[in-house]
PDB file of all heavy atoms in Angstrom:
ATOM      1  N   SER B  53     -24.816  24.965   6.803  1.00 54.00           N
ATOM      2  CA  SER B  53     -25.172  24.906   8.132  1.00 54.00           C
ATOM      3  C   SER B  53     -24.605  26.078   8.991  1.00 54.00           C
ATOM      4  O   SER B  53     -23.517  26.623   8.524  1.00 54.00           O
ATOM      5  CB  SER B  53     -24.736  23.593   8.822  1.00 54.00           C
ATOM      6  OG  SER B  53     -24.784  23.554  10.188  1.00 54.00           O
ATOM      7  N   GLU B  54     -25.210  26.297  10.138  1.00 55.00           N
ATOM      8  CA  GLU B  54     -24.550  27.379  11.011  1.00 55.00           C
ATOM      9  C   GLU B  54     -23.056  27.080  11.340  1.00 55.00           C
ATOM     10  O   GLU B  54     -22.341  27.877  11.528  1.00 55.00           O
ATOM     11  CB  GLU B  54     -25.386  27.453  12.302  1.00 55.00           C
ATOM     12  CG  GLU B  54     -25.456  26.319  13.259  1.00 55.00           C
ATOM     13  CD  GLU B  54     -26.657  25.400  12.749  1.00 55.00           C
ATOM     14  OE1 GLU B  54     -27.129  25.574  11.692  1.00 55.00           O
ATOM     15  OE2 GLU B  54     -26.845  24.420  13.422  1.00 55.00           O
ATOM     16  N   LEU B  55     -22.773  25.891  11.398  1.00 50.00           N
ATOM     17  CA  LEU B  55     -21.370  25.482  11.831  1.00 50.00           C
ATOM     18  C   LEU B  55     -20.417  25.705  10.821  1.00 50.00           C
ATOM     19  O   LEU B  55     -19.170  25.673  10.997  1.00 50.00           O
ATOM     20  CB  LEU B  55     -21.353  24.065  12.407  1.00 50.00           C
ATOM     21  CG  LEU B  55     -22.088  23.959  13.755  1.00 50.00           C
ATOM     22  CD1 LEU B  55     -22.574  22.566  14.046  1.00 50.00           C
ATOM     23  CD2 LEU B  55     -21.260  24.533  14.911  1.00 50.00           C
ATOM     24  N   ASP B  56     -20.756  25.892   9.525  1.00 49.00           N
ATOM     25  CA  ASP B  56     -19.955  26.211   8.496  1.00 49.00           C
ATOM     26  C   ASP B  56     -19.389  27.550   8.746  1.00 49.00           C
ATOM     27  O   ASP B  56     -18.290  27.887   8.189  1.00 49.00           O
ATOM     28  CB  ASP B  56     -20.611  26.196   7.190  1.00 49.00           C
ATOM     29  CG  ASP B  56     -21.157  24.829   6.893  1.00 49.00           C
ATOM     30  OD1 ASP B  56     -20.581  23.852   7.195  1.00 49.00           O
ATOM     31  OD2 ASP B  56     -22.201  24.801   5.997  1.00 49.00           O
ATOM     32  N   TYR B  57     -19.965  28.384   9.570  1.00 52.00           N
ATOM     33  CA  TYR B  57     -19.427  29.715   9.761  1.00 52.00           C
ATOM     34  C   TYR B  57     -18.555  29.768  11.119  1.00 52.00           C
ATOM     35  O   TYR B  57     -17.909  30.562  11.246  1.00 52.00           O
ATOM     36  CB  TYR B  57     -20.611  30.606  10.036  1.00 52.00           C
ATOM     37  CG  TYR B  57     -21.406  30.923   8.764  1.00 52.00           C
ATOM     38  CD1 TYR B  57     -22.382  30.171   8.283  1.00 52.00           C
ATOM     39  CD2 TYR B  57     -21.159  32.125   8.139  1.00 52.00           C
ATOM     40  CE1 TYR B  57     -23.075  30.418   7.122  1.00 52.00           C
ATOM     41  CE2 TYR B  57     -21.788  32.490   6.836  1.00 52.00           C
ATOM     42  CZ  TYR B  57     -22.768  31.571   6.472  1.00 52.00           C
ATOM     43  OH  TYR B  57     -23.381  31.913   5.318  1.00 52.00           O
ATOM     44  N   LEU B  58     -18.785  28.651  11.929  1.00 46.00           N
ATOM     45  CA  LEU B  58     -18.052  28.762  13.204  1.00 46.00           C
ATOM     46  C   LEU B  58     -17.027  27.609  13.342  1.00 46.00           C
ATOM     47  O   LEU B  58     -16.656  27.277  14.534  1.00 46.00           O
ATOM     48  CB  LEU B  58     -19.043  28.730  14.375  1.00 46.00           C
ATOM     49  CG  LEU B  58     -20.027  29.908  14.336  1.00 46.00           C
ATOM     50  CD1 LEU B  58     -21.095  29.666  15.257  1.00 46.00           C
ATOM     51  CD2 LEU B  58     -19.194  31.147  14.818  1.00 46.00           C
ATOM     52  N   ASN B  59     -16.685  26.940  12.228  1.00 43.00           N
ATOM     53  CA  ASN B  59     -15.800  26.006  12.328  1.00 43.00           C
ATOM     54  C   ASN B  59     -14.408  26.319  12.865  1.00 43.00           C
ATOM     55  O   ASN B  59     -14.000  27.547  12.855  1.00 43.00           O
ATOM     56  CB  ASN B  59     -15.605  25.201  11.039  1.00 43.00           C
ATOM     57  CG  ASN B  59     -15.218  26.137   9.966  1.00 43.00           C
ATOM     58  OD1 ASN B  59     -14.149  26.809  10.044  1.00 43.00           O
ATOM     59  ND2 ASN B  59     -16.009  26.310   8.970  1.00 43.00           N
ATOM     60  N   ASP B  60     -13.645  25.380  13.309  1.00 38.00           N
ATOM     61  CA  ASP B  60     -12.291  25.720  13.879  1.00 38.00           C
ATOM     62  C   ASP B  60     -11.278  25.307  12.825  1.00 38.00           C
ATOM     63  O   ASP B  60     -11.289  24.362  12.122  1.00 38.00           O
ATOM     64  CB  ASP B  60     -12.171  24.953  15.118  1.00 38.00           C
ATOM     65  CG  ASP B  60     -11.163  25.560  16.036  1.00 38.00           C
ATOM     66  OD1 ASP B  60     -10.568  26.688  15.639  1.00 38.00           O
ATOM     67  OD2 ASP B  60     -10.699  24.955  17.080  1.00 38.00           O
ATOM     68  N   LEU B  61     -10.148  26.004  12.854  1.00 34.00           N
ATOM     69  CA  LEU B  61      -9.011  25.567  11.981  1.00 34.00           C
ATOM     70  C   LEU B  61      -7.898  25.322  12.897  1.00 34.00           C
ATOM     71  O   LEU B  61      -6.951  26.163  13.144  1.00 34.00           O
ATOM     72  CB  LEU B  61      -8.721  26.668  11.086  1.00 34.00           C
ATOM     73  CG  LEU B  61      -9.659  26.987   9.831  1.00 34.00           C
ATOM     74  CD1 LEU B  61      -9.098  28.170   9.209  1.00 34.00           C
ATOM     75  CD2 LEU B  61      -9.634  25.790   9.008  1.00 34.00           C
ATOM     76  N   PRO B  62      -7.822  24.187  13.605  1.00 37.00           N
ATOM     77  CA  PRO B  62      -6.753  23.967  14.520  1.00 37.00           C
ATOM     78  C   PRO B  62      -5.390  23.862  13.884  1.00 37.00           C
ATOM     79  O   PRO B  62      -5.309  23.567  12.595  1.00 37.00           O
ATOM     80  CB  PRO B  62      -7.116  22.625  15.216  1.00 37.00           C
ATOM     81  CG  PRO B  62      -8.386  22.202  14.589  1.00 37.00           C
ATOM     82  CD  PRO B  62      -8.669  22.966  13.382  1.00 37.00           C
ATOM     83  N   VAL B  63      -4.420  24.086  14.618  1.00 59.00           N
ATOM     84  CA  VAL B  63      -3.047  23.967  14.035  1.00 59.00           C
ATOM     85  C   VAL B  63      -2.690  22.491  14.166  1.00 59.00           C
ATOM     86  O   VAL B  63      -2.927  21.727  15.055  1.00 59.00           O
ATOM     87  CB  VAL B  63      -2.190  24.787  14.945  1.00 59.00           C
ATOM     88  CG1 VAL B  63      -0.707  24.726  14.507  1.00 59.00           C
ATOM     89  CG2 VAL B  63      -2.552  26.224  14.943  1.00 59.00           C
ATOM     90  N   THR B  64      -1.888  22.015  13.173  1.00 53.00           N
ATOM     91  CA  THR B  64      -1.550  20.676  13.061  1.00 53.00           C
ATOM     92  C   THR B  64      -0.196  20.406  13.832  1.00 53.00           C
ATOM     93  O   THR B  64       0.631  21.235  13.617  1.00 53.00           O
ATOM     94  CB  THR B  64      -1.458  20.195  11.650  1.00 53.00           C
ATOM     95  OG1 THR B  64      -2.637  20.315  11.103  1.00 53.00           O
ATOM     96  CG2 THR B  64      -0.999  18.707  11.580  1.00 53.00           C
ATOM     97  N   PHE B  65      -0.097  19.465  14.540  1.00 67.00           N
ATOM     98  CA  PHE B  65       1.173  18.981  15.147  1.00 67.00           C
ATOM     99  C   PHE B  65       1.470  17.596  15.072  1.00 67.00           C
ATOM    100  O   PHE B  65       0.759  16.736  14.683  1.00 67.00           O
ATOM    101  CB  PHE B  65       1.169  19.432  16.665  1.00 67.00           C
ATOM    102  CG  PHE B  65       1.072  20.931  16.743  1.00 67.00           C
ATOM    103  CD1 PHE B  65      -0.001  21.467  17.403  1.00 67.00           C
ATOM    104  CD2 PHE B  65       2.004  21.710  16.436  1.00 67.00           C
ATOM    105  CE1 PHE B  65      -0.094  22.866  17.560  1.00 67.00           C
ATOM    106  CE2 PHE B  65       2.045  23.175  16.478  1.00 67.00           C
ATOM    107  CZ  PHE B  65       0.977  23.664  17.173  1.00 67.00           C
TER     108      PHE B  65
END
Side-chain angles (χ1 to χ4, degrees):
Chain B
S53 159
E54 60 278 8
L55 289 157
D56 297 334
Y57 288 83
L58 294 168
N59 54 60
D60 200 8
L61 287 175
V63 180
T64 300
F65 293 116

